[in-house]
Amino acid sequence: MVKQVYVHVSNKPGRVYAVMQTLSDANVNARSLFVADTGDVGIIRLIVDAPEKAVAALKSANFKVNTSDLIGFTVPDEPGGLCNVMHLLGENGVNIKYSYSLMNRGQGADIVIRVEDNDKAIDILTAAGVKMFTQKDIV
């Protein structure tokens, strides 16, 4: 599993910067950033090298912050690489709530997904030989 840190912020200029500056000041490395506009409130989703440290720093800066578990896997950098994995999950009834990619670690594209049943998705992907990664690999 990969621990995602997510922050709810007002949807106005400078809020993403404020979150990123807080992490930088805490010496936390952001490996991925996803920003969603939901009207007056924005959601910033992050994969970082030190989730617990990130949460503590963000809470100290008065941000509303939570965490959730995502599934991480690597797909080959070739046509159909991601399509094949999405087919496996869809064919087996796993619904993907959202997905985003991480900075390349030199091994193809790293993807994280949020699904309803983590254990089921992990079993399917592992059985198919998909290269998985966890939080300890996010350094």
Short mmCIF file of all heavy atoms in Angstrom, two decimals, residues 56-125:
data_model
loop_
_atom_site.label_atom_id
_atom_site.label_comp_id
_atom_site.label_asym_id
_atom_site.label_seq_id
_atom_site.Cartn_x
_atom_site.Cartn_y
_atom_site.Cartn_z
N ALA A 56 1.81 15.71 10.33
CA ALA A 56 2.12 16.52 11.53
C ALA A 56 2.41 17.97 11.14
O ALA A 56 1.91 18.90 11.78
CB ALA A 56 3.31 15.91 12.27
N ALA A 57 3.20 18.18 10.11
CA ALA A 57 3.54 19.54 9.68
C ALA A 57 2.30 20.29 9.20
O ALA A 57 2.10 21.47 9.54
CB ALA A 57 4.59 19.50 8.57
N LEU A 58 1.48 19.63 8.41
CA LEU A 58 0.28 20.28 7.88
C LEU A 58 -0.72 20.60 8.99
O LEU A 58 -1.33 21.67 8.99
CB LEU A 58 -0.35 19.41 6.79
CG LEU A 58 0.48 19.32 5.50
CD1 LEU A 58 0.02 18.15 4.64
CD2 LEU A 58 0.43 20.63 4.73
N LYS A 59 -0.89 19.69 9.93
CA LYS A 59 -1.78 19.96 11.06
C LYS A 59 -1.26 21.13 11.89
O LYS A 59 -2.03 21.97 12.33
CB LYS A 59 -1.95 18.72 11.93
CG LYS A 59 -2.89 17.70 11.32
CD LYS A 59 -3.15 16.53 12.24
CE LYS A 59 -4.16 15.58 11.61
NZ LYS A 59 -4.44 14.42 12.48
N SER A 60 0.06 21.18 12.08
CA SER A 60 0.66 22.29 12.83
C SER A 60 0.42 23.63 12.14
O SER A 60 0.36 24.67 12.79
CB SER A 60 2.17 22.08 13.00
OG SER A 60 2.40 21.03 13.89
N ALA A 61 0.29 23.59 10.80
CA ALA A 61 0.02 24.80 10.03
C ALA A 61 -1.48 25.05 9.86
O ALA A 61 -1.89 25.87 9.03
CB ALA A 61 0.71 24.72 8.68
N ASN A 62 -2.29 24.31 10.62
CA ASN A 62 -3.74 24.47 10.64
C ASN A 62 -4.46 24.07 9.35
O ASN A 62 -5.51 24.62 9.04
CB ASN A 62 -4.13 25.89 11.05
CG ASN A 62 -3.68 26.21 12.44
OD1 ASN A 62 -3.87 25.42 13.36
ND2 ASN A 62 -3.04 27.36 12.61
N PHE A 63 -3.88 23.12 8.62
CA PHE A 63 -4.58 22.57 7.46
C PHE A 63 -5.43 21.39 7.90
O PHE A 63 -5.08 20.67 8.84
CB PHE A 63 -3.58 22.08 6.40
CG PHE A 63 -2.91 23.19 5.65
CD1 PHE A 63 -1.60 23.54 5.93
CD2 PHE A 63 -3.59 23.88 4.65
CE1 PHE A 63 -0.97 24.56 5.23
CE2 PHE A 63 -2.98 24.90 3.94
CZ PHE A 63 -1.66 25.24 4.23
N LYS A 64 -6.56 21.20 7.22
CA LYS A 64 -7.40 20.01 7.43
C LYS A 64 -6.80 18.90 6.58
O LYS A 64 -6.84 18.96 5.35
CB LYS A 64 -8.84 20.29 7.02
CG LYS A 64 -9.76 19.12 7.29
CD LYS A 64 -11.19 19.43 6.89
CE LYS A 64 -12.04 18.19 7.08
NZ LYS A 64 -13.36 18.34 6.48
N VAL A 65 -6.23 17.89 7.22
CA VAL A 65 -5.47 16.86 6.51
C VAL A 65 -5.92 15.46 6.96
O VAL A 65 -6.28 15.26 8.11
CB VAL A 65 -3.95 17.06 6.73
CG1 VAL A 65 -3.58 16.99 8.19
CG2 VAL A 65 -3.13 16.08 5.94
N ASN A 66 -5.91 14.54 6.02
CA ASN A 66 -6.25 13.14 6.27
C ASN A 66 -5.33 12.27 5.43
O ASN A 66 -4.57 12.75 4.59
CB ASN A 66 -7.71 12.85 5.88
CG ASN A 66 -8.69 13.53 6.80
OD1 ASN A 66 -8.76 13.22 7.97
ND2 ASN A 66 -9.44 14.50 6.26
N THR A 67 -5.44 10.97 5.64
CA THR A 67 -4.68 10.01 4.83
C THR A 67 -5.61 8.90 4.36
O THR A 67 -6.67 8.67 4.93
CB THR A 67 -3.52 9.37 5.62
OG1 THR A 67 -4.04 8.62 6.71
CG2 THR A 67 -2.53 10.42 6.12
N SER A 68 -5.19 8.23 3.31
CA SER A 68 -5.88 7.03 2.84
C SER A 68 -4.86 6.12 2.17
O SER A 68 -3.77 6.56 1.79
CB SER A 68 -7.03 7.38 1.88
OG SER A 68 -6.54 8.08 0.76
N ASP A 69 -5.21 4.86 2.06
CA ASP A 69 -4.34 3.88 1.43
C ASP A 69 -4.68 3.73 -0.03
O ASP A 69 -5.84 3.56 -0.40
CB ASP A 69 -4.47 2.52 2.12
CG ASP A 69 -3.89 2.52 3.52
OD1 ASP A 69 -2.91 3.24 3.75
OD2 ASP A 69 -4.42 1.79 4.38
N LEU A 70 -3.64 3.79 -0.86
CA LEU A 70 -3.77 3.56 -2.30
C LEU A 70 -2.95 2.35 -2.69
O LEU A 70 -2.10 1.89 -1.93
CB LEU A 70 -3.27 4.78 -3.10
CG LEU A 70 -3.88 6.13 -2.78
CD1 LEU A 70 -3.31 7.18 -3.74
CD2 LEU A 70 -5.39 6.11 -2.87
N ILE A 71 -3.19 1.86 -3.87
CA ILE A 71 -2.43 0.74 -4.41
C ILE A 71 -1.47 1.31 -5.45
O ILE A 71 -1.89 2.07 -6.32
CB ILE A 71 -3.36 -0.29 -5.06
CG1 ILE A 71 -4.30 -0.86 -4.00
CG2 ILE A 71 -2.57 -1.38 -5.74
CD1 ILE A 71 -5.43 -1.64 -4.59
N GLY A 72 -0.21 0.94 -5.35
CA GLY A 72 0.78 1.42 -6.30
C GLY A 72 1.29 0.31 -7.18
O GLY A 72 1.51 -0.81 -6.72
N PHE A 73 1.46 0.60 -8.46
CA PHE A 73 2.03 -0.38 -9.39
C PHE A 73 2.74 0.34 -10.52
O PHE A 73 2.52 1.52 -10.75
CB PHE A 73 0.95 -1.33 -9.94
CG PHE A 73 -0.20 -0.65 -10.64
CD1 PHE A 73 -0.16 -0.40 -12.00
CD2 PHE A 73 -1.32 -0.27 -9.93
CE1 PHE A 73 -1.22 0.22 -12.64
CE2 PHE A 73 -2.38 0.36 -10.56
CZ PHE A 73 -2.33 0.60 -11.92
N THR A 74 3.60 -0.38 -11.19
CA THR A 74 4.38 0.17 -12.29
C THR A 74 3.94 -0.49 -13.58
O THR A 74 3.77 -1.71 -13.63
CB THR A 74 5.88 -0.08 -12.07
OG1 THR A 74 6.26 0.52 -10.82
CG2 THR A 74 6.73 0.50 -13.18
N VAL A 75 3.74 0.31 -14.60
CA VAL A 75 3.40 -0.23 -15.92
C VAL A 75 4.55 0.07 -16.88
O VAL A 75 5.24 1.07 -16.72
CB VAL A 75 2.08 0.34 -16.48
CG1 VAL A 75 0.90 -0.04 -15.59
CG2 VAL A 75 2.14 1.85 -16.64
N PRO A 76 4.75 -0.82 -17.85
CA PRO A 76 5.82 -0.55 -18.82
C PRO A 76 5.50 0.67 -19.66
O PRO A 76 4.33 0.97 -19.92
CB PRO A 76 5.85 -1.82 -19.67
CG PRO A 76 4.62 -2.59 -19.36
CD PRO A 76 4.05 -2.07 -18.09
N ASP A 77 6.54 1.37 -20.07
CA ASP A 77 6.39 2.56 -20.90
C ASP A 77 6.27 2.12 -22.35
O ASP A 77 7.23 2.20 -23.13
CB ASP A 77 7.60 3.48 -20.70
CG ASP A 77 7.46 4.79 -21.44
OD1 ASP A 77 6.35 5.10 -21.91
OD2 ASP A 77 8.47 5.51 -21.55
N GLU A 78 5.08 1.63 -22.69
CA GLU A 78 4.80 1.12 -24.04
C GLU A 78 3.30 1.17 -24.28
O GLU A 78 2.52 1.17 -23.32
CB GLU A 78 5.32 -0.31 -24.20
CG GLU A 78 4.64 -1.29 -23.26
CD GLU A 78 5.26 -2.67 -23.25
OE1 GLU A 78 6.49 -2.76 -23.42
OE2 GLU A 78 4.52 -3.65 -23.06
N PRO A 79 2.89 1.21 -25.54
CA PRO A 79 1.45 1.21 -25.83
C PRO A 79 0.76 0.00 -25.21
O PRO A 79 1.25 -1.13 -25.32
CB PRO A 79 1.41 1.15 -27.36
CG PRO A 79 2.70 1.73 -27.80
CD PRO A 79 3.70 1.31 -26.76
N GLY A 80 -0.34 0.24 -24.52
CA GLY A 80 -1.11 -0.83 -23.91
C GLY A 80 -0.68 -1.19 -22.51
O GLY A 80 -1.36 -1.96 -21.83
N GLY A 81 0.44 -0.64 -22.02
CA GLY A 81 0.93 -0.97 -20.68
C GLY A 81 -0.11 -0.68 -19.61
O GLY A 81 -0.43 -1.54 -18.79
N LEU A 82 -0.65 0.51 -19.59
CA LEU A 82 -1.67 0.88 -18.61
C LEU A 82 -3.01 0.25 -18.96
O LEU A 82 -3.75 -0.21 -18.08
CB LEU A 82 -1.81 2.40 -18.55
CG LEU A 82 -2.81 2.96 -17.55
CD1 LEU A 82 -2.50 2.48 -16.13
CD2 LEU A 82 -2.82 4.48 -17.61
N CYS A 83 -3.33 0.15 -20.23
CA CYS A 83 -4.59 -0.44 -20.67
C CYS A 83 -4.74 -1.87 -20.16
O CYS A 83 -5.81 -2.26 -19.71
CB CYS A 83 -4.66 -0.40 -22.20
SG CYS A 83 -6.17 -1.13 -22.88
N ASN A 84 -3.68 -2.64 -20.21
CA ASN A 84 -3.73 -4.04 -19.77
C ASN A 84 -4.11 -4.16 -18.30
O ASN A 84 -4.91 -5.02 -17.92
CB ASN A 84 -2.39 -4.74 -20.04
CG ASN A 84 -2.10 -4.88 -21.51
OD1 ASN A 84 -3.00 -4.90 -22.35
ND2 ASN A 84 -0.83 -4.96 -21.84
N VAL A 85 -3.54 -3.29 -17.46
CA VAL A 85 -3.85 -3.33 -16.03
C VAL A 85 -5.29 -2.88 -15.79
O VAL A 85 -6.02 -3.49 -15.01
CB VAL A 85 -2.85 -2.46 -15.24
CG1 VAL A 85 -3.28 -2.37 -13.78
CG2 VAL A 85 -1.45 -3.04 -15.34
N MET A 86 -5.73 -1.83 -16.48
CA MET A 86 -7.11 -1.36 -16.32
C MET A 86 -8.10 -2.45 -16.75
O MET A 86 -9.15 -2.64 -16.13
CB MET A 86 -7.35 -0.08 -17.12
CG MET A 86 -6.51 1.11 -16.67
SD MET A 86 -6.84 1.61 -14.96
CE MET A 86 -5.31 1.15 -14.16
N HIS A 87 -7.74 -3.20 -17.79
CA HIS A 87 -8.58 -4.30 -18.25
C HIS A 87 -8.70 -5.37 -17.16
O HIS A 87 -9.80 -5.86 -16.88
CB HIS A 87 -8.01 -4.91 -19.54
CG HIS A 87 -8.76 -6.12 -20.00
ND1 HIS A 87 -10.00 -6.05 -20.58
CD2 HIS A 87 -8.45 -7.44 -19.92
CE1 HIS A 87 -10.42 -7.27 -20.87
NE2 HIS A 87 -9.50 -8.13 -20.47
N LEU A 88 -7.58 -5.74 -16.53
CA LEU A 88 -7.60 -6.74 -15.46
C LEU A 88 -8.55 -6.33 -14.34
O LEU A 88 -9.36 -7.14 -13.87
CB LEU A 88 -6.20 -6.90 -14.85
CG LEU A 88 -5.20 -7.74 -15.57
CD1 LEU A 88 -3.81 -7.56 -14.93
CD2 LEU A 88 -5.61 -9.21 -15.52
N LEU A 89 -8.45 -5.09 -13.93
CA LEU A 89 -9.29 -4.63 -12.82
C LEU A 89 -10.77 -4.56 -13.23
O LEU A 89 -11.64 -5.05 -12.51
CB LEU A 89 -8.80 -3.27 -12.32
CG LEU A 89 -7.40 -3.29 -11.69
CD1 LEU A 89 -6.90 -1.87 -11.45
CD2 LEU A 89 -7.39 -4.10 -10.41
N GLY A 90 -11.05 -3.97 -14.38
CA GLY A 90 -12.43 -3.87 -14.83
C GLY A 90 -13.07 -5.22 -15.07
O GLY A 90 -14.23 -5.45 -14.70
N GLU A 91 -12.32 -6.13 -15.67
CA GLU A 91 -12.82 -7.48 -15.94
C GLU A 91 -13.17 -8.22 -14.66
O GLU A 91 -14.03 -9.08 -14.64
CB GLU A 91 -11.73 -8.25 -16.71
CG GLU A 91 -12.10 -9.64 -17.13
CD GLU A 91 -10.97 -10.27 -17.93
OE1 GLU A 91 -9.95 -10.66 -17.32
OE2 GLU A 91 -11.10 -10.34 -19.16
N ASN A 92 -12.50 -7.85 -13.56
CA ASN A 92 -12.73 -8.51 -12.27
C ASN A 92 -13.60 -7.69 -11.33
O ASN A 92 -13.65 -7.95 -10.14
CB ASN A 92 -11.39 -8.83 -11.62
CG ASN A 92 -10.70 -9.99 -12.30
OD1 ASN A 92 -11.06 -11.14 -12.07
ND2 ASN A 92 -9.75 -9.70 -13.18
N GLY A 93 -14.29 -6.69 -11.87
CA GLY A 93 -15.27 -5.94 -11.09
C GLY A 93 -14.70 -4.95 -10.09
O GLY A 93 -15.38 -4.57 -9.15
N VAL A 94 -13.45 -4.50 -10.30
CA VAL A 94 -12.86 -3.50 -9.40
C VAL A 94 -13.10 -2.11 -10.00
O VAL A 94 -12.67 -1.83 -11.11
CB VAL A 94 -11.34 -3.75 -9.21
CG1 VAL A 94 -10.72 -2.64 -8.37
CG2 VAL A 94 -11.11 -5.12 -8.56
N ASN A 95 -13.78 -1.28 -9.25
CA ASN A 95 -14.08 0.09 -9.69
C ASN A 95 -12.96 1.03 -9.23
O ASN A 95 -12.62 1.07 -8.05
CB ASN A 95 -15.41 0.55 -9.11
CG ASN A 95 -15.77 1.94 -9.59
OD1 ASN A 95 -15.60 2.27 -10.75
ND2 ASN A 95 -16.26 2.77 -8.67
N ILE A 96 -12.41 1.80 -10.14
CA ILE A 96 -11.36 2.76 -9.81
C ILE A 96 -12.02 4.10 -9.51
O ILE A 96 -12.72 4.66 -10.36
CB ILE A 96 -10.36 2.90 -10.97
CG1 ILE A 96 -9.68 1.56 -11.20
CG2 ILE A 96 -9.35 4.00 -10.68
CD1 ILE A 96 -8.88 1.48 -12.46
N LYS A 97 -11.82 4.61 -8.31
CA LYS A 97 -12.40 5.89 -7.91
C LYS A 97 -11.60 7.05 -8.50
O LYS A 97 -12.17 8.05 -8.90
CB LYS A 97 -12.44 6.00 -6.39
CG LYS A 97 -13.39 5.01 -5.75
CD LYS A 97 -13.42 5.20 -4.26
CE LYS A 97 -14.44 4.29 -3.63
NZ LYS A 97 -14.62 4.57 -2.20
N TYR A 98 -10.29 6.96 -8.48
CA TYR A 98 -9.42 7.94 -9.13
C TYR A 98 -8.04 7.35 -9.25
O TYR A 98 -7.72 6.33 -8.64
CB TYR A 98 -9.40 9.29 -8.41
CG TYR A 98 -9.01 9.24 -6.95
CD1 TYR A 98 -7.67 9.20 -6.56
CD2 TYR A 98 -9.97 9.24 -5.96
CE1 TYR A 98 -7.32 9.15 -5.22
CE2 TYR A 98 -9.63 9.20 -4.62
CZ TYR A 98 -8.30 9.15 -4.26
OH TYR A 98 -7.96 9.11 -2.93
N SER A 99 -7.22 8.01 -10.04
CA SER A 99 -5.86 7.55 -10.30
C SER A 99 -4.99 8.74 -10.65
O SER A 99 -5.47 9.73 -11.18
CB SER A 99 -5.89 6.55 -11.47
OG SER A 99 -4.57 6.23 -11.88
N TYR A 100 -3.73 8.65 -10.33
CA TYR A 100 -2.75 9.61 -10.81
C TYR A 100 -1.38 8.97 -10.81
O TYR A 100 -1.19 7.89 -10.26
CB TYR A 100 -2.79 10.94 -10.05
CG TYR A 100 -2.69 10.89 -8.54
CD1 TYR A 100 -1.49 11.20 -7.90
CD2 TYR A 100 -3.79 10.60 -7.76
CE1 TYR A 100 -1.41 11.21 -6.52
CE2 TYR A 100 -3.71 10.60 -6.38
CZ TYR A 100 -2.52 10.90 -5.76
OH TYR A 100 -2.45 10.92 -4.40
N SER A 101 -0.44 9.60 -11.47
CA SER A 101 0.89 9.00 -11.59
C SER A 101 1.89 9.72 -10.69
O SER A 101 1.65 10.83 -10.24
CB SER A 101 1.36 9.04 -13.04
OG SER A 101 1.42 10.36 -13.49
N LEU A 102 3.01 9.06 -10.48
CA LEU A 102 4.09 9.60 -9.66
C LEU A 102 5.26 9.97 -10.54
O LEU A 102 5.37 9.50 -11.67
CB LEU A 102 4.56 8.56 -8.65
CG LEU A 102 3.73 8.42 -7.37
CD1 LEU A 102 2.38 7.84 -7.66
CD2 LEU A 102 4.47 7.57 -6.37
N MET A 103 6.16 10.77 -9.99
CA MET A 103 7.39 11.07 -10.69
C MET A 103 8.08 9.76 -11.02
O MET A 103 8.12 8.84 -10.20
CB MET A 103 8.31 11.94 -9.84
CG MET A 103 7.81 13.33 -9.64
SD MET A 103 9.02 14.23 -8.67
CE MET A 103 8.12 15.71 -8.37
N ASN A 104 8.61 9.68 -12.21
CA ASN A 104 9.23 8.45 -12.68
C ASN A 104 10.42 8.07 -11.81
O ASN A 104 11.30 8.87 -11.55
CB ASN A 104 9.66 8.63 -14.13
CG ASN A 104 10.05 7.33 -14.78
OD1 ASN A 104 10.71 6.49 -14.19
ND2 ASN A 104 9.62 7.16 -16.01
N ARG A 105 10.43 6.81 -11.38
CA ARG A 105 11.56 6.29 -10.63
C ARG A 105 12.50 5.53 -11.56
O ARG A 105 13.31 4.74 -11.13
CB ARG A 105 11.08 5.34 -9.53
CG ARG A 105 10.26 6.04 -8.45
CD ARG A 105 9.79 5.09 -7.37
NE ARG A 105 9.00 4.02 -7.93
CZ ARG A 105 9.11 2.74 -7.57
NH1 ARG A 105 9.98 2.36 -6.68
NH2 ARG A 105 8.34 1.82 -8.13
N GLY A 106 12.37 5.74 -12.88
CA GLY A 106 13.26 5.11 -13.84
C GLY A 106 12.85 3.70 -14.23
O GLY A 106 13.64 2.97 -14.82
N GLN A 107 11.63 3.31 -13.92
CA GLN A 107 11.19 1.93 -14.19
C GLN A 107 9.87 1.90 -14.95
O GLN A 107 9.09 0.98 -14.80
CB GLN A 107 11.02 1.18 -12.86
CG GLN A 107 12.25 1.16 -12.01
CD GLN A 107 11.97 0.62 -10.63
OE1 GLN A 107 10.87 0.18 -10.32
NE2 GLN A 107 12.95 0.66 -9.76
N GLY A 108 9.59 2.89 -15.75
CA GLY A 108 8.30 2.98 -16.41
C GLY A 108 7.44 3.97 -15.65
O GLY A 108 7.94 4.78 -14.89
N ALA A 109 6.15 3.91 -15.83
CA ALA A 109 5.24 4.84 -15.16
C ALA A 109 4.72 4.23 -13.87
O ALA A 109 4.21 3.12 -13.86
CB ALA A 109 4.08 5.19 -16.08
N ASP A 110 4.84 4.96 -12.78
CA ASP A 110 4.30 4.53 -11.50
C ASP A 110 2.91 5.13 -11.36
O ASP A 110 2.72 6.33 -11.54
CB ASP A 110 5.17 5.01 -10.35
CG ASP A 110 6.52 4.31 -10.30
OD1 ASP A 110 6.63 3.21 -10.85
OD2 ASP A 110 7.44 4.86 -9.68
N ILE A 111 1.94 4.30 -11.03
CA ILE A 111 0.54 4.70 -10.94
C ILE A 111 0.02 4.35 -9.55
O ILE A 111 0.35 3.30 -9.00
CB ILE A 111 -0.32 3.93 -11.99
CG1 ILE A 111 0.27 4.03 -13.39
CG2 ILE A 111 -1.77 4.37 -11.94
CD1 ILE A 111 0.23 5.40 -14.01
N VAL A 112 -0.81 5.21 -8.98
CA VAL A 112 -1.54 4.88 -7.77
C VAL A 112 -3.03 4.98 -8.07
O VAL A 112 -3.45 5.81 -8.87
CB VAL A 112 -1.17 5.78 -6.56
CG1 VAL A 112 0.24 5.50 -6.10
CG2 VAL A 112 -1.35 7.25 -6.86
N ILE A 113 -3.80 4.09 -7.47
CA ILE A 113 -5.25 4.08 -7.68
C ILE A 113 -5.97 3.96 -6.34
O ILE A 113 -5.45 3.38 -5.40
CB ILE A 113 -5.71 2.94 -8.61
CG1 ILE A 113 -5.29 1.56 -8.07
CG2 ILE A 113 -5.20 3.15 -10.03
CD1 ILE A 113 -5.83 0.38 -8.86
N ARG A 114 -7.16 4.51 -6.29
CA ARG A 114 -8.05 4.34 -5.14
C ARG A 114 -9.19 3.47 -5.61
O ARG A 114 -9.85 3.78 -6.61
CB ARG A 114 -8.56 5.71 -4.69
CG ARG A 114 -9.58 5.63 -3.58
CD ARG A 114 -8.88 5.59 -2.23
NE ARG A 114 -9.86 5.87 -1.19
CZ ARG A 114 -10.00 5.11 -0.12
NH1 ARG A 114 -9.25 4.07 0.06
NH2 ARG A 114 -10.89 5.43 0.79
N VAL A 115 -9.41 2.36 -4.92
CA VAL A 115 -10.47 1.43 -5.28
C VAL A 115 -11.30 1.13 -4.05
O VAL A 115 -10.93 1.50 -2.93
CB VAL A 115 -9.89 0.11 -5.87
CG1 VAL A 115 -9.10 0.37 -7.14
CG2 VAL A 115 -9.02 -0.63 -4.87
N GLU A 116 -12.42 0.47 -4.24
CA GLU A 116 -13.29 0.13 -3.12
C GLU A 116 -12.76 -1.04 -2.31
O GLU A 116 -13.01 -1.12 -1.11
CB GLU A 116 -14.69 -0.16 -3.64
CG GLU A 116 -15.37 1.07 -4.20
CD GLU A 116 -16.72 0.78 -4.81
OE1 GLU A 116 -17.16 -0.39 -4.82
OE2 GLU A 116 -17.34 1.74 -5.29
N ASP A 117 -12.06 -1.98 -2.94
CA ASP A 117 -11.57 -3.18 -2.25
C ASP A 117 -10.08 -3.35 -2.55
O ASP A 117 -9.71 -3.98 -3.54
CB ASP A 117 -12.37 -4.39 -2.72
CG ASP A 117 -12.06 -5.66 -1.94
OD1 ASP A 117 -10.99 -5.75 -1.33
OD2 ASP A 117 -12.91 -6.58 -1.97
N ASN A 118 -9.23 -2.81 -1.67
CA ASN A 118 -7.79 -2.88 -1.88
C ASN A 118 -7.29 -4.32 -1.97
O ASN A 118 -6.49 -4.64 -2.85
CB ASN A 118 -7.04 -2.16 -0.75
CG ASN A 118 -7.11 -0.66 -0.86
OD1 ASN A 118 -7.29 -0.11 -1.93
ND2 ASN A 118 -6.97 0.01 0.27
N ASP A 119 -7.73 -5.17 -1.06
CA ASP A 119 -7.23 -6.55 -1.04
C ASP A 119 -7.55 -7.29 -2.34
O ASP A 119 -6.70 -8.00 -2.88
CB ASP A 119 -7.82 -7.32 0.15
CG ASP A 119 -7.30 -6.78 1.48
OD1 ASP A 119 -6.17 -6.22 1.51
OD2 ASP A 119 -8.02 -6.91 2.49
N LYS A 120 -8.75 -7.11 -2.85
CA LYS A 120 -9.13 -7.76 -4.10
C LYS A 120 -8.26 -7.29 -5.25
O LYS A 120 -7.74 -8.08 -6.04
CB LYS A 120 -10.60 -7.49 -4.41
CG LYS A 120 -11.09 -8.12 -5.70
CD LYS A 120 -12.57 -7.83 -5.93
CE LYS A 120 -13.05 -8.45 -7.23
NZ LYS A 120 -14.49 -8.18 -7.47
N ALA A 121 -8.07 -5.96 -5.36
CA ALA A 121 -7.27 -5.41 -6.45
C ALA A 121 -5.82 -5.87 -6.35
O ALA A 121 -5.20 -6.23 -7.35
CB ALA A 121 -7.35 -3.89 -6.45
N ILE A 122 -5.27 -5.89 -5.14
CA ILE A 122 -3.89 -6.35 -4.95
C ILE A 122 -3.75 -7.81 -5.37
O ILE A 122 -2.80 -8.18 -6.06
CB ILE A 122 -3.43 -6.14 -3.50
CG1 ILE A 122 -3.25 -4.64 -3.23
CG2 ILE A 122 -2.14 -6.90 -3.22
CD1 ILE A 122 -3.04 -4.29 -1.77
N ASP A 123 -4.70 -8.64 -4.97
CA ASP A 123 -4.66 -10.06 -5.36
C ASP A 123 -4.69 -10.22 -6.87
O ASP A 123 -3.92 -11.01 -7.44
CB ASP A 123 -5.83 -10.83 -4.73
CG ASP A 123 -5.69 -11.01 -3.22
OD1 ASP A 123 -4.57 -10.79 -2.69
OD2 ASP A 123 -6.70 -11.36 -2.58
N ILE A 124 -5.56 -9.49 -7.54
CA ILE A 124 -5.69 -9.57 -9.00
C ILE A 124 -4.39 -9.15 -9.68
O ILE A 124 -3.87 -9.84 -10.55
CB ILE A 124 -6.85 -8.69 -9.50
CG1 ILE A 124 -8.19 -9.27 -9.03
CG2 ILE A 124 -6.82 -8.54 -11.02
CD1 ILE A 124 -9.35 -8.29 -9.14
N LEU A 125 -3.86 -8.01 -9.27
CA LEU A 125 -2.66 -7.48 -9.91
C LEU A 125 -1.43 -8.33 -9.62
O LEU A 125 -0.61 -8.58 -10.51
CB LEU A 125 -2.43 -6.03 -9.49
CG LEU A 125 -3.53 -5.04 -9.91
CD1 LEU A 125 -3.26 -3.67 -9.33
CD2 LEU A 125 -3.67 -4.99 -11.41
#
